[in-house]
Amino acid sequence: MQKLKQKAIDIVEHAEPNMGIIGLFGILGYPVYYLIWTYIFPQPYENLSFRILCAFISLPWVLYRQLPKQWKKLFPVYFFLSLFIVMPFFFSFMMLKNEWSLVWAMSFMAGTFLLTLFIFDWMIIFIMTLSGFLAAYAAVLFLDGAVSYAYFTPEYIPIFLFSISGGIIANHRRQLAHQSRVSLLQSLSGSIAHEMRNPLSSITNAMSSLQAILPNKPHSSDSEGRVDLSCSGLINIHDVIEESTATIRRGNKIIDSILASLQDGSVDINNFKRHSAKTIIHTAINSYGYGSAEDKALVTDKASDNFDFFGDKDLFIYVLFNLMRNALYYKSRPGFSIEIATECGSTCNFVKVRDYGPGIPATKRARIFDRFYTYGKSGGNGLGLSFCKRVLQAFGGDISCDSEEGRWTEFTIRLPAYHSKPVIDLKKEIMKSKRILMADDQVSNRLLLAKYVSEWQCPFDEAENGKQALEMAALRRYDLIFMDFEMPELNGDCAITRLRSAKNIEPSIAMHYLQAPVIGITALPQSEARMRAAKCGMNEILSKPIRRPDIVGVFERYFFSETSTISSEQEDTICGSRILLVDDNETSRKFMSMILEHYGCLTGQAENGEVALERLELQDYDLIIMDMEMPVMNGLQTAREIRKGDRFTRFRKFDTIPIIAITGNTDTENIARSKAAGMNHHIGKPVFRDELISVITSWLTCRIEPDSLRQNGVRKAPEEKNFWETIAGEKILDRSIISSLMETGGNELVTSILRLYIDDTKEILERLGSAVSSGDIKSVDMLIHTLKGSSGSCGANRLYILTRYINESTRKGRWPDNDRWLAVLWQTFNDTSGAISTMLENKVIDG
């Protein structure tokens, strides 16, 4: 009885969307058709009273939504009784009374078809149609004493059967589609509920953490008071907020991915980055929303081998969550546990998730990755594993299942090695959606950059100077900009300063360029280039000539790494380093120490220079970060004392330890004073994490010359014999650069570039002679710098090395330390010109 009641309720709910329209049709249709069949197309029999009764019976259908709740509970019974009367009984009765006329035979079929709109169960349709016909037959027999078949023909029978069967089949297919949609929505809601449980649990825990950090909530009467919060407490609050935001983002991403999967959409690869498998596994195990501490104890992390993979961190965590959740369904089984292990291979790496549950029969394993297929548990929706497979295949990998019934089940995740071809292909696919701007006034430099960038199938645009680059960037978004420093009309660093300032740029594009990475390319000395890059807002610099590994490294850092500024290599470099922080501001010291300790550094602190000298004598350090303005002994005085070494008996690294100045004054005069005192680099206030880590990494990885090559902390020029006697031993041409130019531009273009280079260089040398005669050191410096850039770009290796060395002196307003420098320059040019001519005549570019 309960099943019949539920069936009736289901049928009423199914009919509800059409009930009002059919009811209105009944109220109007039954009287109207009386007029049609009586006066327009007269039929042998009509009954107005019966039609008015049917119209009245149809009235509650129209008013169904307005019925009181108590009446709605009884409505299914009324619905079936009224439907029985107004459709199968009425049409059968009228057909029999009209002796099977053609009009009423057709009306009977129409009424039967209308019945299928209301009822989706073919058995109920069949029963109601048959019982309605029998009841009508009995009524006619009772009223007339006999049933007439005057207009009946045997052809009616197959037509009736076809009409009824067709209506039942069509309705059944429609109901199956409806049930599929309901099932899909139930599965989807189940998946989303599952995936939101972990993020919501994490956010709940985060809110609890915030309550623990914050002071107790004040009473309303204390609303005007103030509370103190430590710097570390504020940092912890920000950490919790950032983690919660990331959790929400991860939950939204999972939901979007599930919806895309259900619509046969592809996994979004634009968020793929380089990740450590061991780290992600550890994160997944510790952040899963376990039901209890006992559940967590069932999961063992056996990820001994570490490897990097390319993919989406959040989606990979989802995959692990799904496998863990499926396995934990059997947690009550004796001896149950879960093990997650890693294994490195030559071309592929593996993550294995094994649970000691009931196992999966071999006949079922082939289907467990099919959508909507589930095995061995109730409440499943069959979406999880199919989506996991879809995700891992998007990573270039796959997932498989092995099992021994009654003992264990193991899922093996296969991921391609990070430097394998599938990963490179994925990266190139991502780069197709990026766009790069290359700004350089030298064609050869742009050719090289274009070659290296086009190898990644990445679209790019070129600009010949800073002004043109700025105009192009203001019109469209570039994901990365390569910008030369020294260019006509507008220097590269000036162009980037304007770009970062967002002046005269459409707001949405301006916001983009506040974060877009900019790479400076230059032949300037590293110290000057770093200073200018930091001042204008460039992210880093590359020295000319640009090499293929330089571009690969840039793409890795800014497109394929989770953190675009601090790479894993930087973390490894500074981890374990001892750094002395010297600043009279305790908050500043704490801030920097927390950053550095986060990356594994060991820090010491001193409130002034005098204390810093004592710390150095007691403890070895690898680097010093020191404020310029301090009481007792300021930064400049302290740096001089350190470089002298007179205060130390134990400390022996006084002449080589890098000293980084922290200063609010970044003008040229203060920078010069800091260098004269023996400081190696300066960072302007306020101090930012990325810049701090980058500077420390750079100075910890470079070699500091001992005191024999120093004078007041400034590098001395090498002795004459160390350079001028060895320059002739350098190779004249760098064939690798010329080969790269040839591959990009072809023989004709490269030939024209090299010949133009020879003509331009000869003109520059002639102008150099005039500048030297007039004693114009400024013009000499400008011409040498130009020659240095063009030589490096065209592969004139010896001339590039020579001009780079000469430029070290001319930039400081000094003449080169060799009276014959101009003659050496001319001789080197003649050797270079001859080598280029020979190469072009013999058409030998490679080799």
Side-chain angles (χ1 to χ4, degrees), residues 506-524:
E506 195 272 322
S508 63
I509 296 180
M511 289 295 294
H512 169 75
Y513 285 122
L514 291 177
Q515 298 294 329
V518 178
I519 311 302
I521 50 176
T522 182
L524 291 169

Side-chain angles (χ1 to χ4, degrees), residues 338-357:
I338 300 173
E339 297 173 354
I340 303 180
T342 54
E343 182 180 319
C344 293
S346 56
T347 58
C348 293
N349 301 304
F350 305 92
V351 176
K352 298 185 177 182
V353 181
R354 172 177 286 212
D355 71 82
Y356 292 91

Side-chain angles (χ1 to χ4, degrees), residues 352-371:
K352 298 185 177 182
V353 181
R354 172 177 286 212
D355 71 82
Y356 292 91
I360 302 174
T363 55
K364 305 292 184 182
R365 288 175 216 155
R367 294 194 59 196
I368 60 173
F369 296 107
D370 293 345
R371 281 200 295 182

Side-chain angles (χ1 to χ4, degrees), residues 242-256:
E242 289 170 5
E243 184 177 345
S244 300
T245 303
T247 301
I248 294 171
R249 176 182 51 78
R250 183 185 304 131
N252 286 332
K253 184 187 295 183
I254 297 301
I255 292 172
D256 290 342

